[in-house]
Amino acid sequence: MAAEEVRVLPAQRRRIIDANDGTPTLSTDQAFLPLTRRRPAGAPRPAGRRPVWQREYVRTIAVSDAVSALLAALLGWAVRFGDTPLHATGLSGLSVAWTMVLLPPVWITSMLLFRAYEPRFLAVGSEEFQRVLLAGTTVVAFVGTASWALQLEIARGFVVVALPAAGVLTVVSRLAVRHYLHTRRAAGECMQSTLVAGHPEAVASLVRQVRRQTDHGLRVDAACTPGGRSTQELQELGVPVLGSLEEVAAVAGELDVDVVATLTCPELDGPVLRRLGWELESTRADLVVAPALTDVGGPRVVIRPVSGLPLLHVDRPELRGIRHVGKTLLDRGSAALGLLALSPLFILMAVLIKLDSPGPVFFRQRRVGRDGTEFTMVKFRSMVVDAEQRLIDLRQASEGNGLLFKMKRDPRVTRTGAFLRRYSLDELPQLFNVLSGSMSLVGPRPPLPSEVAQYGQDLRRRLLVKPGLTGLWQVSGRSDLDLDESTRLDLQYVENWSPAFDLMILAKTVRAVLGGRGAY
């Protein structure tokens, strides 16, 4: 990584000199910003030039795509011809050999045409894989059409095996590279330097959110606010205010940032944003505009141009319908198979619980489900039998999020219970609730009736869907989350549910459970 360089904005320097009666004393909090790139003073700044790590990331996935296509071609050959030498395969083998040679460059070209290497589609979200799917489908159509039009003797068995395998290997390799990038971002590397423009309160809220989710790769280095005003909150977050909203482009150019993020405020209206976009064309900064509507997923938001205005059309959340019927069928079928497969583990856990402390194997508790209907939730008992009575004495020591009692070292938890909780094994009997239809595999956390009694209007939206065995709260920190963050994640799930969203959460649950973060 390049050596750090400290650069001071001329406008900011003037302010500090004036504030000190002409004495050029510089304040670290307001005037300095450490940068991780070095550019000689006066040197031209290449517009659109990407960071080194980003160019390396694109090259890596391009190489992995080519290797995936080549491996898929070799697999297709092995399935079609086995150990048969090339000279014994005839014209069919010769055409397949040419296809093997041409498949990697054709595969890469198709990815380029469908913009599967554009940085804005990479590393986060599902857009990258949608483009990979479209590119792969196009290659299949191209090979089929070319084979028919040119009367090529391409073995159908080869095509049926090689092309789908290329798609699967491409997705898997990209997921592996993405995971490696996310690991580096969690360590503070491979981040995009970001300048945020907006009111200080909104800037602080955005800073906290991007720091919670490092996968997106945004690192807020500075801010511009109305009148260049800072607040105690921004200072505590370590975000210097280096200019006013009129100086956004100048600050972005001086700091050579990767992203300029503007937040909703009256000062940044349509004409101002348009001019800001023009001014940023001479820099390499991408302009992103954060709408006032938050926690609404991409599939629900469509840009609808009306009289030259890009209006956001927001679809209603899908709370009923045929896809929810499919979710229910999948839930119950998966729960039945899971209970059958895990029955030996259930017996082992029951024996350990009985040997560790007296009392029943299962713990039953009333919880609130969809539309406010109460049900009995089943878990493996992880505490002593008089845990509810002891709770009165421990209430003041709660480390939970306000509505929920939690302690990292709860004296009521048994030795076996601590192990079960760490790896969420105590939650497995909830598969019985999923099988009965009172819960889902994925959903908000099932609340207690006492919690629901304290719900406001926003929190009651959690009750529009079934509670889940796992959910966004499970994969985002569990008991480490505060009340606001837990609420936001549950509402985000309710507003943006989709089958793909469920699959993503289930995949992340495995990593969260093995890691054990927030489990107590």
Side-chain angles (χ1 to χ4, degrees):
M1 183 175 293
E4 288 193 345
E5 175 186 357
V6 174
R7 190 177 294 119
V8 183
L9 292 178
Q12 193 69 24
R13 184 186 293 112
R14 286 197 299 272
R15 290 196 191 93
I16 297 171
I17 291 175
D18 294 342
N20 289 277
D21 299 324
T23 304
T25 303
L26 299 179
S27 167
T28 302
D29 291 339
Q30 296 294 326
F32 289 88
L33 183 65
L35 300 178
T36 56
R37 62 180 67 88
R38 183 183 300 275
R39 181 173 54 85
R45 184 182 298 103
R49 184 69 170 173
R50 298 293 177 183
V52 173
W53 70 263
Q54 202 170 71
R55 298 197 299 271
E56 290 177 350
Y57 184 81
V58 173
R59 283 196 295 267
T60 299
I61 62 173
V63 171
S64 71
D65 289 351
V67 172
S68 297
L70 181 59
L71 291 176
L74 293 173
L75 177 62
W77 175 276
V79 172
R80 175 64 180 83
F81 296 109
D83 297 331
T84 306
L86 177 62
H87 64 82
T89 59
L91 293 177
S92 179
L94 184 61
S95 63
V96 168
W98 274 108
T99 304
M100 291 173 61
V101 173
L102 295 176
L103 183 57
V106 170
W107 193 254
I108 295 293
T109 302
S110 180
M111 297 295 168
L112 284 170
L113 292 176
F114 282 90
R115 303 194 299 177
Y117 296 118
E118 287 195 18
R120 63 189 177 120
F121 299 132
L122 303 177
V124 292
S126 60
E127 180 74 17
E128 175 184 359
F129 302 111
Q130 293 175 12
R131 293 181 178 277
V132 169
L133 178 62
L134 288 173
T137 304
T138 300
V139 172
V140 173
F142 171 77
V143 171
T145 303
S147 178
W148 172 80
L150 302 177
Q151 298 297 311
L152 299 177
E153 293 293 333
I154 299 179
R156 287 189 293 270
F158 171 82
V159 175
V160 168
V161 172
L163 296 183
V168 171
L169 290 174
T170 297
V171 170
V172 170
S173 63
R174 285 186 176 230
L175 282 172
V177 177
R178 175 183 291 196
H179 176 70
Y180 175 69
L181 176 65
H182 288 177
T183 302
R184 294 188 63 183
R185 283 179 170 175
E189 303 175 10
C190 301
M191 306 293 279
Q192 291 181 291
S193 175
T194 304
L195 171 69
V196 182
H199 286 270
E201 296 77 12
V203 171
S205 177
L206 178 66
V207 170
R208 286 192 296 269
Q209 187 160 338
V210 299
R211 287 180 179 177
R212 280 194 299 262
Q213 296 179 306
T214 58
D215 289 356
H216 292 271
L218 296 182
R219 184 192 65 237
V220 178
D221 286 335
C224 289
T225 63
R229 178 175 63 91
S230 184
T231 62
Q232 181 67 27
E233 189 176 19
L234 286 179
Q235 292 175 10
E236 291 175 354
L237 291 171
V239 179
V241 177
L242 298 185
S244 65
L245 295 182
E246 292 77 20
E247 299 173 303
V248 173
V251 174
E254 186 66 27
L255 298 184
D256 198 20
V257 296
D258 303 314
V259 177
V260 172
T262 63
L263 305 176
T264 302
C265 60
E267 295 86 349
L268 295 174
D269 57 10
V272 172
L273 288 177
R274 183 171 63 248
R275 287 193 294 272
L276 177 60
W278 295 341
E279 293 171 350
L280 291 176
E281 288 178 358
S282 60
T283 73
R284 67 193 189 88
D286 293 326
L287 176 63
V288 297
V289 180
L293 186 65
T294 59
D295 289 328
V296 176
R300 285 185 57 203
V301 179
V302 180
I303 295 180
R304 175 181 291 180
V306 177
S307 300
L309 298 175
L311 302 183
L312 291 179
H313 173 82
V314 183
D315 289 334
R316 299 174 186 269
E318 190 172 354
L319 303 175
R320 299 290 189 276
I322 188 64
R323 292 207 298 177
H324 270 278
V325 174
K327 175 182 172 69
T328 299
L329 294 176
L330 178 62
D331 283 342
R332 294 191 174 189
S334 301
L337 292 175
L339 288 170
L340 183 63
L342 295 173
S343 55
L345 179 62
F346 275 45
I347 296 173
L348 175 61
M349 293 297 100
V351 172
L352 292 176
I353 292 170
K354 275 293 189 180
L355 292 176
D356 190 24
S357 65
V361 171
F362 295 108
F363 171 74
R364 293 174 173 84
Q365 191 176 47
R366 298 295 290 175
R367 296 292 179 108
V368 181
R370 187 176 186 177
D371 298 328
T373 303
E374 292 191 13
F375 67 97
T376 300
M377 188 186 72
V378 184
K379 300 173 62 176
F380 279 127
R381 182 174 60 85
S382 59
M383 293 185 174
V384 294
V385 291
D386 60 342
E388 293 297 324
Q389 288 73 27
R390 295 191 190 183
L391 178 60
I392 300 175
D393 299 329
L394 298 173
R395 181 67 69 178
Q396 297 301 320
S398 175
E399 299 172 307
N401 56 25
L403 290 178
L404 189 64
F405 177 86
K406 284 287 184 180
M407 286 184 67
K408 291 185 178 179
R409 290 178 175 82
D410 194 327
R412 302 172 300 160
V413 177
T414 63
R415 290 175 300 175
T416 300
F419 175 79
L420 296 179
R421 286 185 167 213
R422 176 168 179 79
Y423 297 103
S424 298
L425 296 175
D426 60 321
E427 311 280 355
L428 289 179
Q430 292 175 33
L431 289 172
F432 289 111
N433 294 113
V434 177
L435 186 61
S436 68
S438 56
M439 289 182 63
S440 176
L441 288 178
V442 182
R445 185 187 60 81
L448 294 164
S450 59
E451 296 176 56
V452 175
Q454 304 178 55
Y455 278 4
Q457 182 178 0
D458 289 350
L459 278 175
R460 286 196 172 273
R461 285 192 65 83
R462 297 170 63 181
L463 306 179
L464 294 177
V465 298
K466 293 179 183 179
L469 178 63
T470 185
L472 280 178
W473 51 273
Q474 174 83 306
V475 301
S476 303
R478 291 185 272 187
S479 298
D480 286 342
L481 302 175
D482 58 27
L483 177 59
D484 291 339
E485 182 65 6
S486 299
T487 301
R488 187 186 71 82
L489 290 173
D490 279 343
L491 293 180
Q492 182 180 347
Y493 177 81
V494 173
E495 297 294 329
N496 302 299
W497 173 85
S498 70
F501 202 15
D502 277 1
L503 291 176
M504 181 272 290
I505 293 173
L506 288 171
K508 288 189 173 183
T509 297
V510 177
R511 184 174 63 180
V513 168
L514 293 178
R517 185 171 71 92
Y520 52 88

